Amino acid sequence: MSIKIGMIGAGGIAQNHVKALARIENARIATVFDINPEQAAKVANATGATIATSAERLLDDKEIDAVLICSPQFARGQLEEIAAGNNLHLLVEKPLGLNMEDVTRKGRAIRESGVINSTGYCLRYLDTVQMAKQYLHGKQVHLVQVHRFGTRHPAKWWNQLDLSGGFLVDAVTHQVDLVRYLVSEFNEVYANFGRNTILQESPDSTIYDGGALSFTLANGAVGTLTESCVSPYYNGSEIKIFGPDFYLSLRANGTQITIIDNDQNITKITKMDAYYEQDKSFVEAIVSGDSTHVLSNYEDASKTLVVTLAANQSFIERKSMSLIETTYG
Ligand SMILES: NC(=O)c1ccc[n+]([C@@H]2O[C@H](COP(=O)([O-])OP(=O)(O)OC[C@H]3O[C@@H](n4cnc5c(N)ncnc54)[C@H](O)[C@@H]3O)[C@@H](O)[C@H]2O)c1
């Protein structure tokens, strides 16, 4: 059985899916749409896909089995609901959106449709992250310390807070997601953000250039997260997890793990391609009808969005946000 996939949005992340799907025998990109015809043409040339004239027409195509939604989070309209209504399996890039009401409504439509659904939290698929997951099972954690530093995405939309959500919502979401996946759900978050450098470098941009969060987790642990998208001299990420009888660190977007305890001091670096593993598990789930190996579905990913949007809101309201009462649709 060969799975025919439609792709909406053919920019940076779409290229990773093109490469990943090229390695997956029983799947191919059959049709693509991008508001920029040149971007759509790039994918069409690389894959042999036809170019659809609109996202809606692509979703109406009876020949396709699934859709990859790779357009930015501000530009997805009702695509997910239409896809689910047309019984198309879907993989939606992270972050799922910028508004919890929309995302919750979409999540409900997806769940009720019964389609296979996956999201772009690809780091969960790394063997290093799975090693951390296995190691941390049943372990007591009291402190989590996270950082991620990097540079700005060149796209205009990314530099506008109302379109991207900023570095935390768009990119550091991967680290927030790993804390949820490996340690515990969040109970409470308090955030401060700054704009010192952005104001000078790029006054039209409305995103923050640095963020400092403190949080509590449902398991009783506490933590901090610092991030900056204006860090040309140091680029990297780390999640440090502390327990009474161990220390575990995941660096470089989860690709390097260190575990130290009484019996070991080991470091492992993975060579896995997270995008390939993620897309393979999506395709296999469609073929088998069994989504056990899809590690981040739409509903789960919406819980990561809740945390990052609450952090943004915490800064606006200058108060700590409780996530305990949050319902996820
Ligand atoms: N999973 C990951 O690790 C990862 C990495 C990078 C980006 N992303 C996510 O992927 C999404 C896209 O990011 P990107 O880096 O590819 O951005 P990009 O700016 O490089 O590409 C976005 C593409 O979407 C197109 N587009 C914009 N509006 C559209 C619309 N209404 N319909 C169809 N196409 C439209 C643009 O023309 C562009 O080609 C974002 O949500 C981003 O957060 C995920």
Side-chain angles (χ1 to χ4, degrees):
M1 181 182 183
S2 182
I3 303 299
K4 296 190 205 65
I5 298 174
M7 172 178 267
I8 298 176
I13 192 61
Q15 301 305 324
N16 294 68
H17 289 292
V18 166
K19 280 189 209 129
L21 286 164
R23 293 174 58 198
I24 299 172
E25 264 178 26
N26 54 347
R28 68 182 174 87
I29 300 174
T31 177
V32 57
F33 172 72
D34 193 294
I35 49 165
N36 179 343
E38 283 175 21
Q39 290 300 120
K42 273 189 208 164
V43 169
N45 291 339
T47 61
T50 59
I51 298 179
T53 51
S54 73
E56 290 72 18
R57 289 216 177 92
L58 181 148
L59 295 175
D60 255 350
D61 186 340
K62 302 285 179 289
E63 296 295 310
I64 59 171
D65 306 290
V67 62
L68 295 190
I69 300 185
C70 302
S71 45
Q73 51 270 35
F74 74 90
R76 296 182 189 156
Q78 294 179 310
L79 297 180
E80 297 89 336
E81 286 154 304
I82 300 171
N86 289 352
N87 281 320
L88 290 173
H89 308 294
L90 75 169
L91 189 155
V92 183
E93 266 307 336
K94 49 53 42 187
L96 298 186
L98 297 162
N99 173 303
M100 275 324 295
E101 267 178 42
D102 290 349
V103 167
T104 302
R105 197 190 59 243
K106 290 176 181 191
R108 205 175 297 130
I110 290 168
R111 192 175 58 227
E112 283 167 8
S113 74
V115 296
I116 302 287
N117 57 99
S118 178
T119 65
Y121 287 102
C122 53
L123 305 185
R124 290 187 177 202
Y125 295 86
L126 295 170
D127 51 3
T128 39
V129 170
Q130 287 306 313
M131 195 174 153
K133 176 100 180 140
Q134 216 175 341
Y135 183 83
L136 290 167
H137 182 74
K139 284 258 186 309
Q140 189 184 325
V141 173
H142 56 263
L143 180 72
V144 179
Q145 192 191 49
V146 184
H147 74 241
R148 179 161 174 180
F149 307 116
T151 50
R152 290 189 282 141
H153 191 300
K156 268 192 183 161
W157 67 267
W158 196 90
N159 286 275
Q160 297 303 316
L161 195 63
D162 58 337
L163 301 183
S164 69
F167 191 50
L168 176 73
V169 172
D170 184 82
V172 190
T173 186
H174 277 300
Q175 279 65 40
V176 171
D177 187 66
L178 287 185
V179 172
R180 284 192 49 242
Y181 185 55
L182 296 173
V183 185
S184 168
E185 294 294 345
F186 284 64
N187 259 5
E188 204 172 6
V189 61
Y190 178 72
N192 271 302
F193 294 99
R195 281 171 46 74
N196 269 357
T197 300
I198 289 263
L199 275 176
Q200 289 172 29
E201 255 186 24
S202 172
D204 292 342
S205 166
T206 54
I207 57 169
Y208 308 118
D209 54 26
L213 280 59
S214 73
F215 55 81
T216 62
L217 300 177
N219 72 342
V222 296
T224 62
L225 181 156
T226 49
E227 49 94 342
S228 172
C229 60
V230 187
S231 177
Y233 300 103
Y234 178 73
N235 188 325
S237 74
E238 185 164 11
I239 302 173
K240 297 176 181 172
I241 301 171
F242 298 84
D245 52 356
F246 74 91
Y247 166 73
L248 187 150
S249 152
L250 276 169
R251 290 176 301 285
N253 268 337
T255 57
Q256 299 178 18
I257 184 171
T258 294
I259 299 175
I260 305 174
D261 61 23
N262 280 343
D263 303 319
Q264 58 188 328
N265 181 340
I266 53 159
T267 291
K268 177 183 157 95
I269 300 175
T270 189
K271 291 200 166 47
M272 263 186 168
D273 174 349
Y275 299 110
Y276 167 73
E277 301 298 332
Q278 168 192 266
D279 289 4
K280 186 161 64 88
S281 78
F282 177 56
V283 169
E284 282 171 359
I286 296 170
V287 172
S288 66
D290 173 6
S291 57
T292 314
H293 301 294
V294 169
L295 299 183
S296 171
N297 65 17
Y298 196 91
E299 186 173 356
D300 195 327
S302 75
K303 298 179 190 177
T304 297
L305 182 68
V306 166
V307 178
T308 57
L309 291 182
N312 278 3
Q313 194 60 27
S314 157
F315 180 57
I316 291 168
E317 297 187 25
R318 298 288 199 276
K319 69 173 198 192
S320 179
M321 305 300 286
S322 171
L323 302 164
I324 297 170
E325 299 301 324
T326 310
T327 53
Y328 302 110

